[in-house]
Amino acid sequence: SRQFYRQLHHSACRDIQSLEANWRKGQYTLTRDKKDSRVSCLQFDDNMIVTGGYVDSAIKLWDRSTLQQLKVLEGHTKGVWCLQYNKEVIISGSADHTVKVWDIQTGQVINDLLH
């Protein structure tokens, strides 16, 4: 357990240093969707960042190394409050009282659970 947190801390520090260096060099792009897209939750690993939106109710998948958006999953009617993923699925919970199971490859809903 301690090893996991040590690795996570090291990874987070490395990412912060990279962000700061890019900011200082002017190597960044600021973008904003036309919709308001406040992030309410996220999870990341070595390859991908997955975010859940509060206002736009969307789940967005980003390439962690390039920071390019890969996919947008739409289906919730209210804000996404939590999510968890592995290599096969994303599971999201929303203020619309649903839990959705998404196929990570296709971006399609596999299952809908009403809470």
Side-chain angles (χ1 to χ4, degrees):
S1 179
R2 281 184 164 209
Q3 182 65 22
F4 168 78
Y5 289 108
R6 283 186 183 142
Q7 289 174 340
L8 180 62
H9 179 263
H10 178 71
S11 177
C13 288
R14 187 178 60 238
D15 289 346
I16 290 168
Q17 289 171 348
S18 177
L19 288 170
E20 286 178 350
N22 288 340
W23 182 263
R24 291 174 205 270
K25 294 176 190 173
Q27 296 176 339
Y28 60 87
T29 303
L30 298 177
T31 60
R32 183 152 176 96
D33 290 344
K34 292 179 182 173
K35 292 181 180 181
D36 190 354
S37 57
R38 290 180 218 148
V39 174
S40 55
C41 56
L42 67 87
Q43 182 186 348
F44 68 93
D45 61 23
D46 290 338
N47 303 312
M48 190 167 54
I49 302 169
V50 179
T51 60
Y54 173 71
V55 176
D56 67 1
S57 308
I59 297 167
K60 296 181 182 180
L61 287 68
W62 308 83
D63 182 286
R64 185 167 169 199
S65 61
T66 65
L67 300 180
Q68 295 298 309
Q69 185 174 293
L70 303 172
K71 286 184 186 161
V72 178
L73 310 182
E74 295 179 316
H76 284 295
T77 58
K78 293 189 178 177
V80 177
W81 284 100
C82 57
L83 59 83
Q84 189 75 34
Y85 75 93
N86 63 26
K87 292 179 181 182
E88 297 173 9
V89 298
I90 297 172
I91 300 174
S92 58
S94 168
D96 65 8
H97 305 284
T98 64
V99 174
K100 293 187 183 291
V101 181
W102 308 80
D103 181 296
I104 206 162
Q105 295 301 319
T106 67
Q108 299 299 309
V109 175
I110 299 170
N111 208 333
D112 239 334
L113 308 168
L114 184 61
H115 187 274

